[in-house]
Amino acid sequence: DRHEWEKVEKEDVPEEAFTTIVLWSEHGTTAVIEAKQKELELLRFYKVYKVVKAEGRRGMQTMWVITKKDKGETTVTKARLCAKGFQEGDNMYKDSPTVSRVGLRLVFGIAVAKGWKVGAIDAKSAFLQGEKMTREVLIKPPSEAGDKGKLWLLLKCLYGLKDAPRMWWLRLDAALKKL
């Protein structure tokens, strides 16, 4: 229930929580508006979509996922535009490799035995950098994009689509093989 979330005070959030979802009532704040604009810029930069006429076609709905992350003394607000992927069919490849617990323990064990340092990286806007889509997906653009009455034809996967992790993996796999 959204109203129950609004009653939670900041001191009620455990110290382990580094990221929090921004409540709907805060979506009009300057930080959220700027985060949405930044996400729209990334969508254009990575050429994720092409604006098309609706011409009687229906597009999949989208939603914003807004989060706040505490980074020391500052708070960073992030926005992600997500497709409501549950609205699409189930006839696509959507598998992508993930590491098992056993595999992870094996890597850590080898690293300890060899004296290696283990690190991690984060690919910013990873799904937006995935392989080009081979199927047609139309979405309704968010109102902030200013494309009223139009649809977006996705050229790359958007967060929330069932095959987005796979398309990212295919792009990463190709880049690693090239190296």
Side-chain angles (χ1 to χ4, degrees):
D1 187 301
R2 190 174 89 193
H3 300 289
E4 289 301 312
W5 278 97
E6 291 177 2
K7 295 177 186 175
V8 175
E9 296 294 326
K10 188 169 184 170
E11 55 267 12
D12 293 335
V13 178
E15 288 183 19
E16 297 84 35
F18 299 107
T19 303
T20 55
I21 302 292
V22 174
L23 302 174
W24 179 251
S25 59
E26 296 179 43
H27 278 231
T29 65
T30 303
V32 171
I33 292 168
E34 288 174 358
K36 287 179 178 181
Q37 288 304 315
K38 185 175 180 182
E39 176 73 355
L40 290 172
E41 288 171 18
L42 287 171
L43 294 171
R44 286 188 289 273
F45 178 78
Y46 289 117
K47 297 177 176 69
V48 173
Y49 67 91
K50 178 171 73 170
V51 179
V52 296
K53 294 179 182 176
E55 297 176 339
R57 298 182 287 184
R58 295 178 50 154
M60 188 182 308
Q61 294 176 329
T62 58
M63 62 182 270
W64 286 106
V65 175
I66 313 294
T67 57
K68 284 184 182 178
K69 192 173 207 174
D70 291 329
K71 291 193 171 189
E73 295 182 15
T74 62
T75 300
V76 177
T77 302
K78 288 188 174 186
R80 290 287 175 256
L81 183 64
C82 299
K84 292 187 177 180
F86 60 86
Q87 294 176 341
E88 62 182 335
D90 211 22
N91 56 349
M92 67 195 73
Y93 289 110
K94 53 189 175 207
D95 61 321
S96 59
T98 56
V99 66
S100 67
R101 286 184 181 167
V102 172
L104 197 57
R105 287 181 178 164
L106 182 62
V107 168
F108 287 151
I110 293 170
V112 168
K114 300 274 189 181
W116 296 342
K117 291 184 179 181
V118 177
I121 61 169
D122 180 28
K124 294 184 186 282
S125 303
F127 287 1
L128 305 183
Q129 299 181 59
E131 284 292 322
K132 291 193 179 200
M133 296 182 71
T134 56
R135 61 192 179 96
E136 183 176 282
V137 176
L138 295 167
I139 64 166
K140 295 177 184 175
S143 59
E144 295 85 355
D147 292 325
K148 188 173 178 129
K150 307 265 177 153
L151 294 174
W152 285 358
L153 171 65
L154 293 181
L155 306 174
K156 295 182 182 178
C157 281
L158 199 62
Y159 296 94
L161 293 178
K162 293 178 180 180
D163 55 343
R166 178 179 173 75
M167 299 309 278
W168 161 243
W169 166 249
L170 291 173
R171 177 78 186 267
L172 178 63
D173 183 55
L176 291 174
K177 286 178 179 174
K178 187 177 178 181
L179 291 173

